[in-house]
Amino acid sequence: MTLDKPHTRKSWNTIVIHLIAWAIVFIFPFLFMERFESMNRMHDFNPMRFYIQPICIIFIFYINYLWLIDKFLFRKRAVQFIVYNLLLIVIASIIIYMVHRMALPDEFPFRRPEPRLPRPRPGFMQWQDAITLVLIVGLSVAIKVTQKWIVTEKERKQLEQERTEAELKNLKNQLNPHFLFNTLNNIYSLIAISPDRAQSAVLELSKMLRYVLYENARPYVPMEKELEFNHNYIELMRLRLARHVKVEVDMPRGLCQNYQIAPLLFITLIENAFKHGTSATEPSFVKIVMREPSPGVIECRIENSCFPKNENDKSGSGIGLKNLSRQLELLYPGKHTLHAESDSLIYRSSLTIDLN
């Protein structure tokens, strides 16, 4: 069984922080010895009398930190938690009072011997001790509640991330059959026109399916591979188009070099352009422009003639754009713009993504 190194490191960091904090509490009075002596108060300093309060503080802090808070407060047993702490504070206050009332020698290695009788401790100091111990209980609760909130928030974010990844995976699983369905429809229509071109289309399709099956499994892919996939798809679409369909493509392969992008984001818009923008009998056009308006920002603008499908055409159900919009919301929140508009003649769509 191997230990979780980050968890072990975190545990050691917590221990070191606790040790440093308590070391400061114990060493602090030594930093002011000369001041105490100049104020003629050195005779009041006795190690046992001074350190009995920090010892009680440490005891109460860790009783709460390691046991009482988890067992009672976090289980909504606040009354028992308060009763136990009141009992601890009373016992600790009595111990502190008894130690300060004991006739202990007032010798300390750094002061000149000067025999004095131990002075009785003022009564208000007992209340001060009790208030200090109450504050320590509050401190332990604050630290423990903060730690629990951090853990809860981390778990919430992890669950949210897992839910987002599951939703993205589901969207991709819907998109892949949608893409394959539309492409096979195109090849089917091409078979009747030209079997040789249909054969070439199947070869191009195999290249694209390799990308869809393997690259699409990754959350992000190099931009050049995504551009190559789009080029391959456009060339596949060209094979089935009649001569009266004009296709213009301005898609430089060097766009956003060294940047990564989520796969298959532009293919939905390109698919729709060929699906709704071309006609077998009438003049039509598809114009696709991709550019990099600023470093790390990719922009895709598409214009095509408008030939809406009738109700009898079941090639797709409009799920592509809905999935694309949802994917962009999950993958690039606040870093994308998706816009589409149409009139009776031209359909325009645009997608801009900030990859920085």
Side-chain angles (χ1 to χ4, degrees):
M1 180 178 178
T2 58
L3 294 176
D4 187 353
K5 290 184 179 180
H7 179 73
T8 303
R9 190 182 300 113
K10 183 178 179 181
S11 299
W12 276 108
N13 289 342
T14 301
I15 293 173
V16 169
I17 291 173
H18 281 241
L19 290 176
I20 292 174
W22 294 120
I24 292 174
V25 171
F26 276 85
I27 295 173
F28 187 77
F30 290 95
L31 304 177
F32 297 92
M33 281 300 170
E34 294 299 327
R35 175 178 292 184
F36 287 158
E37 187 172 12
S38 65
M39 295 170 61
N40 198 25
R41 293 177 60 186
M42 271 300 294
H43 62 275
D44 289 330
F45 188 90
N46 180 282
M48 185 60 183
R49 290 176 180 173
F50 179 83
Y51 286 122
I52 186 59
Q53 187 182 38
I55 289 172
C56 289
I57 287 174
I58 291 174
F59 179 77
I60 290 180
F61 177 87
Y62 283 109
I63 285 290
N64 278 275
Y65 185 81
L66 299 175
W67 183 55
L68 289 179
I69 296 175
D70 288 326
K71 187 173 180 61
F72 296 104
L73 190 61
F74 286 168
R75 296 183 181 182
K76 299 182 179 180
R77 297 160 66 181
V79 174
Q80 291 173 277
F81 174 78
I82 294 173
V83 169
Y84 276 113
N85 272 291
L86 288 176
L87 184 61
L88 286 173
I89 291 171
V90 169
I91 294 174
S93 299
I94 293 174
I95 293 173
I96 293 172
Y97 177 79
M98 295 299 294
V99 169
H100 278 274
R101 295 292 294 178
M102 291 172 62
L104 297 176
D106 286 337
E107 296 180 1
F108 193 75
F110 297 108
R111 79 175 182 92
R112 295 185 298 273
E114 183 180 351
R116 292 176 180 268
L117 295 175
R119 296 182 177 181
R121 202 160 186 254
F124 75 88
M125 295 294 288
Q126 310 305 321
W127 289 105
Q128 187 182 60
D129 292 335
I131 293 173
T132 301
L133 296 176
V134 170
L135 293 177
I136 289 300
V137 173
L139 177 64
S140 64
V141 171
I143 293 175
K144 199 73 174 179
V145 169
T146 302
Q147 289 178 342
K148 185 178 181 181
W149 178 84
I150 292 173
V151 171
T152 303
E153 187 67 12
K154 184 178 179 180
E155 292 176 350
R156 185 191 65 80
K157 289 182 178 180
Q158 184 175 356
L159 288 173
E160 184 177 348
Q161 181 179 359
E162 291 175 355
R163 185 168 57 251
T164 300
E165 291 174 356
E167 185 174 356
L168 280 172
K169 185 176 181 180
N170 182 53
L171 290 172
K172 287 182 178 181
N173 289 338
Q174 294 178 28
L175 180 61
N176 290 346
H178 176 265
F179 159 78
L180 182 60
F181 178 78
N182 286 343
T183 307
L184 288 176
N185 274 341
N186 293 331
I187 295 176
Y188 175 77
S189 62
L190 188 61
I191 291 174
I193 302 172
S194 173
D196 292 337
R197 294 167 67 187
Q199 187 176 4
S200 299
V202 171
L203 181 61
E204 292 296 326
L205 177 61
S206 66
K207 296 178 182 179
M208 291 189 295
L209 286 179
R210 187 177 297 112
Y211 178 86
V212 170
L213 291 174
Y214 296 105
E215 300 295 341
N216 192 37
R218 305 175 185 178
Y220 297 94
V221 297
M223 190 66 203
E224 53 266 27
K225 288 190 176 183
E226 182 69 9
L227 291 174
E228 181 183 0
F229 173 79
N230 292 333
H231 274 289
N232 291 337
Y233 181 82
I234 293 171
E235 292 307 311
L236 176 61
M237 293 298 100
R238 285 181 190 269
L239 292 175
R240 75 173 184 86
L241 295 178
R243 292 186 178 182
H244 60 262
V245 179
K246 184 179 180 181
V247 178
E248 295 182 31
V249 179
D250 182 7
M251 192 185 300
R253 295 183 183 271
L255 295 174
C256 293
Q257 284 187 334
N258 302 321
Y259 282 90
Q260 302 246 325
I261 189 171
L264 303 179
L265 292 180
F266 300 104
I267 194 62
T268 299
L269 300 180
I270 297 174
E271 274 188 308
N272 284 345
F274 284 100
K275 176 182 173 184
H276 301 287
T278 60
S279 171
T281 58
E282 300 180 31
S284 50
F285 74 94
V286 173
K287 183 178 180 181
I288 302 172
V289 177
M290 293 188 71
R291 63 189 187 94
E292 186 177 359
S294 60
V297 177
I298 187 72
E299 180 184 55
C300 177
R301 293 185 176 274
I302 301 177
E303 292 185 359
N304 55 269
S305 47
C306 195
F307 295 96
K309 301 298 180 180
N310 55 44
E311 295 181 358
N312 295 326
D313 189 344
K314 302 299 182 182
S315 59
S317 59
I319 196 173
L321 282 176
K322 294 179 181 178
N323 281 357
L324 173 61
S325 179
R326 183 56 182 159
Q327 279 188 285
L328 291 169
E329 290 175 6
L330 295 173
L331 293 168
Y332 299 100
K335 302 181 71 174
H336 76 277
T337 56
L338 176 63
H339 181 69
E341 62 179 7
S342 66
D343 52 36
S344 59
L345 299 176
I346 299 176
Y347 183 90
R348 299 178 179 87
S349 61
S350 64
L351 171 59
T352 304
I353 303 175
D354 185 355
L355 304 177
N356 294 293

